[in-house]
Amino acid sequence: MSPMWQGCLSDTDYFEMRSGGGHDYGIWVTTPPGYDPATTQAPVVYVLDGNFAVGMTAPLIVTQMDPMQRIQSYIQVSVGYAGEEAQDWDRLRNRDFVPPGEPIAQELIDAVETGLHMGARTREEADAYLAELRDTRADVFLNFLTAELHPRIENDYGTATTGHGLFGYSYGGLFSLYTWLAGATLFESIGAGSPGVIAEDSQIFAQLRDMGDSRRTAKLHLTFNDRELLGDLAVYQSLAKNTATILHRLSRSDVTSEILRETHVTGLQASFLSYLRTCRPG
C-alpha cells in the first residue's frame, strides 16, 4: 500500500495508473478478510467515484462475514483520479461517466448556477464543470476498465475468471446503465444507483430503443431515492422520473430495483448495499 494510505483502509492496496488516453487514475484494491489468492480466486466488483466512495463502500467488504446475511466473496476495486487531477474528480467524472452525445439538461445547468450562488463553486469551477459535459467519453472509460485495468487486476490479484460486477452512483450510475445497455461482457451484475438520466432525450433512451426486445447477459439492479422524487429540486425530480420510466420499459426478470429512503447525497452507501444484497447474495 502507498504510505499515504497505510492504515486508512484495512486490507487495501493503492496504486496509480495512466490510461492509454493519458489520464491518471487512482486505484484502491480491497480484499476480503483473510483473503489468500493461493487458495481462493474471488471475482471483482468495480466501484466508481473512488475519491468519494471508497471510504463508504470498501469497509462494507466485511459483509462477506456477516452470519445473518452472507454476501458472495468479492475483491473491491475502487476507481478514482490521481495526482493533480484528484482535486477535480467531481468534474472529470463528467467526461468519463457520461455517454457520448448526451444532452446537457436545463435542470442541470440551473442546479450548477444555484450551487454557484450558494458558494459551492466559483464561476471558473462552474464553467469547467459544464465544459466537461460537452465532450463526454463513457465509451473510452469503459474500454479503460475492461481492456486496461481489468487485465492488470486479474494478473496481480489472481481473480476469478467470471462473476465480476460494476457499481456506480449518480453519474456513475448513468455509466453503469450505459455499460449494461452497451452489452459489456465482462460484468455479470451491474448496480446503477440514482443514475443521472436528467434529460428526456438522454442517450440512454436511444440505447433502450436500439436494444428492443433483445436480452443482456448481466443482471441489472437500479435504485433511486424517495426524497429525489418527492423533493423540490428539479434536477433530482427529473432523475427519479426518468429512472422510473426506464424501469417501466425494463420490466423483465434480469432487472431488479429498490426505492430507498434517502436523499441524493446520502443514498450512495444504501444503494451499494442494495446492490450487494440483491445481486451477490451468499
Side-chain angles (χ1 to χ4, degrees), residues 56-124:
M56 289 186 285
T57 58
L60 294 176
I61 206 159
V62 298
T63 56
Q64 298 174 40
M65 306 298 291
D66 187 342
M68 299 184 70
Q69 181 174 320
R70 295 292 292 272
I71 301 297
Q72 292 176 15
S73 180
Y74 67 91
I75 298 169
Q76 178 167 326
V77 176
S78 307
V79 184
Y81 299 94
E84 294 183 359
E85 291 193 328
Q87 64 184 344
D88 298 320
W89 69 270
D90 66 331
R91 68 174 174 83
L92 293 176
R93 67 200 291 269
N94 298 354
R95 175 197 70 202
D96 286 342
F97 297 168
V98 179
E102 183 77 355
I104 305 175
Q106 186 60 48
E107 295 94 328
L108 178 62
I109 296 173
D110 293 343
V112 171
E113 289 298 315
T114 298
L116 172 65
H117 296 316
M118 293 175 61
R121 286 189 174 92
T122 65
R123 168 50 66 186
E124 182 180 10

Side-chain angles (χ1 to χ4, degrees), residues 11 13 29-44 61 64-65 73-76 153-154 156-160:
D11 300 313
D13 298 329
V29 182
T30 306
T31 52
Y35 181 75
D36 182 359
T39 58
T40 306
Q41 290 185 321
V44 180
I61 206 159
Q64 298 174 40
M65 306 298 291
S73 180
Y74 67 91
I75 298 169
Q76 178 167 326
I153 297 296
E154 191 174 36
D156 291 355
Y157 290 89
T159 66

Side-chain angles (χ1 to χ4, degrees), residues 218-237:
K219 181 175 182 178
L220 174 67
H221 184 64
L222 279 167
T223 69
F224 63 100
N225 303 303
D226 60 352
R227 297 185 187 182
E228 293 168 333
L229 184 62
L230 302 175
D232 57 1
L233 291 176
V235 64
Y236 295 143
Q237 288 177 339

